[in-house]
Amino acid sequence: MGNLHIISRRLTHLDVLESEAIHILREVAAECANPSLLFSGGKDSIVLLRLAEKAFRPAKFPFPLLHIDTGHNFLEVIDFRNRRALELGERLIVRSMEESIRQKRVILKHPDQSRNAFQSVTLLDAIAEFRFDACIGGARRDEEKARAKERIFSFRDEFGQWDPKNQRPELWDLYNTRVHPGENIRVFPISNWTEMDIWQYIAREKLEIPSIYFAHRRKVIRRGDSLLPVSHLVRPLEHEKIEELSVRFRTVGDMTCTCPVESNASTLEDIIVETATTRVTERGATRMDDQTSDASMELRKKEGYF
């Protein structure tokens, strides 16, 4: 009998997180009748796509990709979204808030108003249209206090609403996927990941990301404690002046309320170092709509938000 060679490798924390997320994705595929994966082109959903590849390749994904387009997204991110879905050969469903506005399903106070708080209307309409019983999302518990209240399999009632006081137990990683007609589940496979984990995983897997995550020169204005990128939607008020700074985005979304941070981080290694040393949370200074009480994340989640 020949010598038995045992090759062992110590698992890293990223290996453990990856294994948990793959298990969750496969659980969705096994237990849910008609799921979808929310893909915006942002860093968290990019990680979800890689996890789905590892969970299901060489087969096709057992769910389509779904994006709720506010019409206020950064062009670099939308271009990346389209190209990545095409490269993977996966079905991408896009539903637009512009259509919800035309149908008077969403009524804005003014045309330039942030649309983040109204995405739930378009999302719930898409869920009803395609009869999705589960939507896989890239939310993480470290992002915001309301998201820390979520279970991994988060139940939504027939009105698409979330009750943080009525959550299902998930002891021993056992998940309850039962839903009645009209109800659905939001599933968060990377709930236990942090912003640092995301960047380390992107670096380890050599994943491509939109260019605006890296430092670049951009015209901005200072509004309160935040920077806002100047665009056709964001213009300086009378007392504000335009500056051109080296900035990058830690998160991407509606350009009317998504703020860059001053940075010279031009590589993934630079971003990891910067993330390790910053004292400002990811959403603390990068999403202006999260900083107002009437548009709090918990209120929006109760109404059907991601």
Side-chain angles (χ1 to χ4, degrees):
M1 182 176 179
N3 293 331
L4 178 64
H5 295 281
I6 300 176
I7 301 175
S8 63
R9 180 175 72 87
R10 182 175 301 224
L11 292 177
T12 68
H13 79 287
L14 288 180
D15 293 325
V16 174
L17 290 172
E18 178 188 73
S19 178
E20 177 191 48
I22 290 173
H23 166 68
I24 292 166
L25 287 169
R26 288 174 175 167
E27 189 77 0
V28 173
E31 296 293 333
C32 298
N34 188 28
S36 63
L37 187 151
L38 299 171
F39 177 58
S40 65
K43 67 183 187 304
D44 298 313
S45 60
I46 290 170
V47 167
L48 277 183
L49 285 193
R50 172 48 58 92
L51 294 168
E53 286 185 271
K54 292 194 174 188
F56 304 113
R57 287 295 192 241
K60 299 275 288 185
F61 293 173
F63 37 67
L65 310 180
L66 172 65
H67 184 221
I68 305 304
D69 189 344
T70 65
H72 285 180
N73 298 94
F74 292 93
L75 184 59
E76 299 96 323
V77 180
I78 294 300
D79 287 345
F80 179 90
R81 177 203 71 186
N82 296 338
R83 179 165 53 80
R84 190 71 188 106
L86 187 62
E87 289 170 351
L88 288 170
E90 298 293 343
R91 180 186 178 197
L92 172 64
I93 299 171
V94 178
R95 288 297 176 265
S96 171
M97 281 192 61
E98 294 285 357
E99 183 61 27
S100 299
I101 293 169
R102 279 194 292 270
Q103 294 175 358
K104 309 242 182 253
R105 297 278 293 142
V106 171
I107 299 176
L108 302 175
K109 294 178 181 177
H110 53 82
D112 294 343
Q113 182 179 356
S114 169
R115 299 181 177 185
N116 269 359
F118 303 99
Q119 290 183 72
S120 55
V121 174
T122 311
L123 173 61
L124 293 177
D125 286 347
I127 289 172
E129 178 185 355
F130 294 97
R131 298 184 180 180
F132 292 130
D133 60 346
C135 289
I136 304 165
R140 309 188 321 269
R141 287 175 176 149
D142 73 319
E143 287 182 90
E144 200 272 343
K145 60 185 179 181
R147 284 185 163 160
K149 298 179 181 180
E150 290 271 20
R151 294 288 195 265
I152 290 176
F153 280 66
S154 184
F155 172 77
R156 298 300 199 270
D157 65 19
E158 64 271 27
F159 302 106
Q161 296 182 328
W162 171 67
D163 181 359
K165 297 180 180 179
N166 184 25
Q167 295 279 293
R168 297 172 174 180
E170 294 181 340
L171 303 176
W172 306 293
D173 294 336
L174 296 175
Y175 306 112
N176 184 347
T177 62
R178 291 185 180 179
V179 292
H180 296 295
E183 299 173 342
N184 65 87
I185 298 172
R186 308 293 170 81
V187 185
F188 304 112
I190 59 173
S191 285
N192 293 326
W193 298 47
T194 65
E195 182 186 10
M196 176 63 84
D197 296 329
I198 292 294
W199 286 120
Q200 289 178 330
Y201 191 77
I202 287 172
R204 189 185 85 171
E205 299 294 311
K206 298 180 173 55
L207 301 180
E208 185 184 357
I209 57 175
S211 60
I212 64 174
Y213 280 117
F214 296 107
H216 57 284
R217 302 292 296 183
R218 185 178 286 261
K219 292 181 179 179
V220 297
I221 54 176
R222 298 183 187 273
R223 188 164 294 172
D225 296 328
S226 303
L227 300 175
L228 271 178
V230 176
S231 69
H232 64 288
L233 296 170
V234 179
R235 306 172 187 85
L237 302 176
E238 188 174 342
H239 64 282
E240 295 171 337
K241 69 174 184 177
I242 296 176
E243 303 177 62
E244 186 172 304
L245 303 174
S246 177
V247 299
R248 73 176 185 89
F249 289 85
R250 291 173 67 183
T251 183
V252 295
D254 187 322
M255 67 174 66
T256 66
C257 61
T258 302
C259 306
V261 295
E262 290 192 66
S263 174
N264 291 310
S266 58
T267 66
L268 287 173
E269 291 72 20
D270 292 340
I271 291 175
I272 290 170
V273 170
E274 190 174 89
T275 302
T277 56
T278 185
R279 294 189 176 185
V280 180
T281 62
E282 179 181 351
R283 300 180 75 94
T286 60
R287 287 289 181 89
M288 293 188 73
D289 59 335
D290 286 350
Q291 302 167 29
T292 59
S293 59
D294 64 334
S296 70
M297 177 67 77
E298 184 161 335
L299 176 60
R300 282 183 283 160
K301 287 180 73 63
K302 288 180 179 179
E303 294 173 346
Y305 190 70
F306 310 156

